[in-house]
Every structure is written in structure tokens, then in C-alpha cells.
Amino acid sequence: MRHLPQLILSQLEMFLDPPQPGVYNWVHIASKNRVTNRTIAYVDTNLRIPSPTSALWNLPEFSKYTTAEFKADLTHIWRIDCLEYFREALGEMSDLAVADAIKCR
């Protein structure tokens, strides 16, 4: 996930960061990937972390996290809005753009 362009990651943060009643967010993705409750609470309450979703990508549990796993997790937590955006964003990227994004990181 870290290899994706910043624009896509920023948009995903807009979908998954804000807590909304009855809507699953970054906490549910973290829990599904075995992030401890203590780590989730730290990320959620630490004011130095601007985006909890972006903090996920830096956790050891997400070091080998793939776009396919992310799509599966979004489907599992019923975030079809985020999944549709993610699929469109990936569809717009060519293989060359993905390779360039990987080199820049």
C-alpha cells in the first residue's frame, strides 16, 4: 500500500479517518489485521498523528499488506464507497505510473 501515489492515499484517509456512527473505518481494518487494542488506542488518541489511516501503513502488521488484501478488507467491512473509489483510482494508473510511484518512495 505504501507504494501508491500520495493522492490516492490521501483520498483513502478522507474515507477511513473520520469516525461516523454506524460506518466502519480504519479501526476495523486494523482489528481485522491483528493490530492490538493498545496500538489502536494509541493511534486514535495521539494528537501528533495527523491521520490514523496513514499510521496504519507504517505498522509492522501492514508491512506486506497488498492492494488485494485492502480490497478484501473493504468488502468485509462493507465500505463499498471507498472500494469503488480505490478501484477507479487503480484503474486510472497505468503499469508505468505504478512503477514510477514505487521508485519515488
Side-chain angles (χ1 to χ4, degrees):
M1 290 293 295
R2 289 187 229 166
H3 69 279
L4 293 172
Q6 188 59 43
L7 179 63
I8 293 175
L9 294 174
S10 296
Q11 283 295 115
L12 293 174
E13 292 168 15
M14 290 176 63
F15 279 102
L16 297 171
D17 278 355
Q20 301 171 25
V23 177
Y24 293 112
N25 63 7
W26 68 272
V27 174
H28 300 89
I29 291 175
S31 295
K32 188 169 181 328
N33 288 280
R34 300 174 191 242
V35 176
T36 64
N37 288 337
R38 183 176 181 178
T39 301
I40 291 170
Y42 174 78
V43 170
D44 196 26
T45 59
N46 189 332
L47 298 177
R48 293 183 183 163
I49 298 174
S51 165
T53 303
S54 67
L56 290 183
W57 314 140
N58 296 315
L59 295 175
E61 294 85 351
F62 289 89
S63 64
K64 296 181 181 178
Y65 194 61
T66 65
T67 55
E69 290 171 313
F70 184 61
K71 288 180 195 176
D73 287 349
L74 289 175
T75 302
H76 180 77
I77 66 168
W78 291 92
R79 284 306 303 266
I80 306 307
D81 57 336
C82 189
L83 181 60
E84 286 176 359
Y85 164 76
F86 190 58
R87 285 183 177 156
E88 287 175 19
L90 289 180
E92 292 173 3
M93 290 178 57
S94 67
D95 291 341
L96 183 57
V98 172
D100 288 343
I102 291 170
K103 288 179 190 175
C104 292
R105 294 248 173 219

